[in-house]
Amino acid sequence: MSARLLIVDDEESLLQFLELMFSEIGYEVTTASGVEEAKRRLSDSGFDLVLCDITMPDGSGLDLLREIRSDEDRRTAVIMMTAYTSTESAVEAMKAGAYDYVSKPFDVEELKLLVERALEKTELYQENVYLRRELQERYTFSNIIGRSGRMQSIFALVERISRTPSTVLIRGESGTGKELIARAIHFNSPRSRARFLSINCGALPENLLESELFGHERGSFTGAVREKQGLFQEASGGTLFLDEIGEMTPSMQVKLLRALQEKKVRRVGGTREEDVDVRIIAATNQDLEEQIRNGSFREDLFYRINVIPIHLPALRRRREDIPLLADHFVRKYSSELGTEPVRFSVEAMRMLERYEWPGNVRELENVVERTLALQSGSVVTASDLPAIIANQSEPDEEIRLPEEGLDLEQFLDDIRRRLMSEALDRCDGVQTQAAELLGMSFRSFRYYAKKMQLAPTRDD
Ligand SMILES: Nc1ncnc2c1ncn2[C@@H]1O[C@H](COP(=O)(O)OP(=O)(O)OP(=O)(O)O)[C@@H](O)[C@H]1O
Ligand SMILES: [Mg+2]
């Protein structure tokens, strides 16, 4: 697509000359002979560049410039033309956001070059806007699926806290989307233009983790052949995601705590302190409170990072999200595989919804990917699903006394437990609602829930 130019000048002959010249180069040119006409043209369509005279009978080109610039979407470059060397209006034009200005009479080749360069810049700018949008989109809510009440309140929380600089601790079982949420926080925050860097604190031995985080000086240990910046510096202005923070060794915890408290880091083998400016998001699937009790996690570090806690519920606690997620992954993988999107039969979907998903969303994603890769028809039936999902036994429909007899109390307890757990799932863990669903009093629901350890639940 060729670039679109709007040329504004009250001098008819100059207007014609410029129109002819720029059309010949291949631009799409529109002309306007005054401020009012230019405003009309601008409202009809978007231009990549406006070449605009300053002094015109029906107004000033500077007002037009300001109007263009007041548009949020700053994609139009503006070059001003001044009738004579009037430094004052040139300065004013630059201040108001013109890309550049030329003084009449101008050198035609110079003007061509200037226009070309200005357009390159807007193209680059637009490309950047586009890339940034794409990145943002990948981690904004359009790609994070969840209609369950719990996920909806997490989205609302994420939106609110994105704007703050506070440290966030994301907890949840493996595969519940901790990293996805961390990225969403970053890409929705004022830090989104700087980097999001992530490190798995459990994957490296302590000395390597320290040098990854804080950097090292040359020769500070065998293998440190050159100096290296740490992630705290590399993510400067951005976000550092400390994954599996529960796996950090106690002495590393001390070093991290110091860095967070003092907002300064010192490289391994170094003496100089460097200021850091990163937002920390930590994640873990471990029970940090338990780790604090048994002494493997520092309580002071816990309070430092647990400023804003987010708990991602296991997938089996928000089963209403399963069909949406399954469809989302079908779309994702069929477009990746270049195949037509398939759909799940009612029975297959019921099995997905009933399965326990110990690996949570990641497991569901893998199942969908694998199923699609092996799938030929347009409908996925129960028999296309992995055996562990397809072979789940139907819930008992009929109760019979087995040959060998049974322990009735135990049996009833089992049923009570199963129904209570299902009710909790359906009510997003809200005990009062689950109790109501089962015709139980809140007190007795709470009593049994505690006894049977139906955790985690909420009292509200
Ligand atoms: N709500 C969701 N919507 C869409 N995709 C999701 C959602 N939650 C998780 N996923 C996808 O599931 C996969 C696992 O998510 P992620 O890596 O964020 O989980 P995690 O909690 O960090 O897991 P682990 O503890 O194992 O590191 C990713 O591919 C992610 O895109
Ligand atoms: Mg993860």
Side-chain angles (χ1 to χ4, degrees):
M1 223 178 71
S2 55
R4 312 210 301 161
L5 264 52
L6 173 65
I7 306 176
V8 190
D9 201 305
D10 59 313
E11 205 180 307
E12 199 58 38
S13 57
L14 180 67
L15 205 55
Q16 278 173 12
F17 166 74
L18 290 174
E19 179 178 17
L20 191 69
M21 182 181 85
F22 283 114
S23 324
E24 268 176 359
I25 304 176
Y27 297 125
E28 203 178 298
V29 183
T30 304
T31 59
S33 53
V35 174
E36 287 312 312
E37 194 185 346
K39 282 184 183 166
R40 280 199 300 279
R41 297 268 174 273
L42 278 165
S43 65
D44 304 337
S45 57
F47 292 95
D48 300 300
L49 185 138
V50 176
L51 190 57
C52 184
D53 192 15
I54 287 193
T55 336
M56 285 175 283
D58 68 339
S60 160
L62 287 172
D63 292 336
L64 199 61
L65 166 65
R66 287 191 193 101
E67 200 172 306
I68 296 172
R69 278 291 81 97
S70 68
D71 192 343
E72 283 285 278
D73 195 16
R74 306 174 101 247
R75 26 174 251 145
T76 309
V78 182
I79 296 176
M80 301 303 291
M81 302 184 282
T82 53
Y84 34 81
T85 318
S86 149
T87 21
E88 218 169 284
S89 47
V91 167
E92 222 176 307
M94 296 305 282
K95 263 198 212 150
Y99 171 76
D100 212 336
Y101 67 93
V102 288
S103 323
K104 295 180 193 173
F106 43 76
D107 181 281
V108 176
E109 289 309 312
E110 205 175 300
L111 181 63
K112 276 191 203 167
L113 261 179
L114 199 57
V115 166
E116 214 173 284
R117 243 188 293 141
L119 283 171
E120 256 168 35
K121 203 192 105 183
T122 54
E123 248 167 57
L124 261 183
Y125 177 76
Q126 285 182 28
E127 232 165 70
N128 274 333
V129 168
Y130 172 78
L131 283 178
R132 250 202 317 272
R133 270 201 201 135
E134 195 190 40
L135 261 185
Q136 257 165 21
E137 211 135 86
R138 214 176 295 159
Y139 301 113
T140 45
F141 307 109
S142 58
N143 276 326
I144 306 183
I145 309 296
R147 71 161 175 217
S148 54
R150 284 185 175 190
M151 288 308 284
Q152 288 294 325
S153 40
I154 287 174
F155 296 162
L157 177 66
V158 165
E159 254 192 300
R160 255 183 294 129
I161 63 170
S162 287
R163 278 168 257 141
T164 74
S166 311
T167 301
V168 182
L169 177 61
I170 307 177
R171 309 224 247 169
E173 289 180 12
S174 170
T176 44
K178 295 186 292 295
E179 178 147 6
L180 193 67
I181 292 290
R183 286 178 188 274
I185 294 171
H186 171 75
F187 284 102
N188 283 292
S189 79
R191 300 179 162 261
S192 66
R193 279 154 199 235
R195 301 173 73 181
F196 174 93
L197 293 178
S198 109
I199 183 160
N200 182 334
C201 304
L204 294 173
E206 177 170 339
N207 54 349
L208 280 186
L209 180 62
E210 183 180 359
S211 103
E212 276 299 308
L213 286 175
F214 305 136
H216 62 244
E217 296 297 345
R218 206 171 85 152
S220 53
F221 55 87
T222 342
V225 283
R226 54 179 83 81
E227 58 157 23
K228 184 174 160 318
Q229 221 183 25
L231 294 177
F232 267 94
Q233 292 295 343
E234 274 185 53
S236 189
T239 306
L240 182 55
F241 180 53
L242 303 174
D243 206 356
E244 316 288 359
I245 193 146
E247 314 245 318
M248 231 179 222
T249 58
S251 59
M252 213 31 234
Q253 290 173 30
V254 176
K255 289 172 184 156
L256 176 64
L257 180 64
R258 238 193 96 240
L260 298 183
Q261 271 169 347
E262 284 158 33
K263 295 193 163 45
K264 282 185 193 327
V265 294
R266 193 190 305 146
R267 294 184 183 188
V268 176
T271 47
R272 204 162 43 88
E273 302 252 275
E274 298 167 283
D275 291 330
V276 294
D277 165 30
V278 287
R279 179 191 205 160
I280 299 292
I281 302 180
T284 182
N285 54 20
Q286 304 201 7
D287 184 348
L288 292 184
E289 286 83 356
E290 173 56 30
Q291 285 190 307
I292 292 171
R293 275 193 296 276
N294 71 30
S296 56
F297 201 84
R298 293 183 66 98
E299 193 166 12
D300 45 8
L301 178 58
F302 176 75
Y303 289 119
R304 225 342 114 172
I305 57 175
N306 194 37
V307 180
I308 300 173
I310 297 182
H311 185 97
L312 288 176
L315 189 54
R316 63 185 164 281
R317 290 230 168 262
R318 46 176 161 124
R319 290 185 198 268
E320 63 267 49
D321 288 343
I322 293 174
L324 287 179
L325 281 163
D327 284 340
H328 169 73
F329 293 133
V330 162
R331 258 177 281 122
K332 175 173 168 188
Y333 287 104
S334 16
S335 84
E336 249 172 49
L337 295 164
T339 57
E340 287 293 307
V342 298
R343 67 179 184 79
F344 291 94
S345 73
V346 173
E347 195 197 1
M349 191 59 96
R350 223 179 53 216
M351 303 206 130
L352 295 181
E353 282 176 84
R354 198 190 308 144
Y355 181 59
E356 285 291 295
W357 302 108
N360 294 295
V361 185
R362 178 178 297 109
E363 185 182 9
L364 174 60
E365 179 167 3
N366 291 342
V367 164
V368 172
E369 183 182 11
R370 210 177 89 197
T371 308
L372 290 205
L374 303 172
Q375 180 69 21
S376 47
S378 65
V379 178
V380 178
T381 62
S383 60
D384 296 324
L385 295 173
I388 188 169
I389 296 169
N391 295 342
Q392 294 170 91
S393 55
E394 285 285 330
D396 287 338
E397 261 144 43
E398 210 180 352
I399 298 170
R400 315 204 95 170
L401 180 62
E403 283 301 313
E404 68 282 7
L406 56 67
D407 178 338
L408 183 59
E409 284 310 314
Q410 175 87 50
F411 185 82
L412 293 176
D413 271 352
D414 269 359
I415 292 181
R416 193 194 311 273
R417 178 174 217 290
R418 217 157 64 202
L419 291 178
M420 283 176 63
S421 158
E422 207 178 322
L424 272 176
D425 283 349
R426 216 183 289 172
C427 302
D428 287 330
V430 180
Q431 296 196 48
T432 45
Q433 287 172 22
E436 202 176 298
L437 210 56
L438 296 173
M440 293 167 80
S441 71
F442 172 61
R443 291 184 58 151
S444 79
F445 189 96
R446 198 179 46 187
Y447 167 78
Y448 283 110
K450 207 164 201 171
K451 181 171 151 202
M452 300 171 175
Q453 300 189 329
L454 288 177
T457 55
R458 303 194 306 196
D459 277 345
D460 50 353

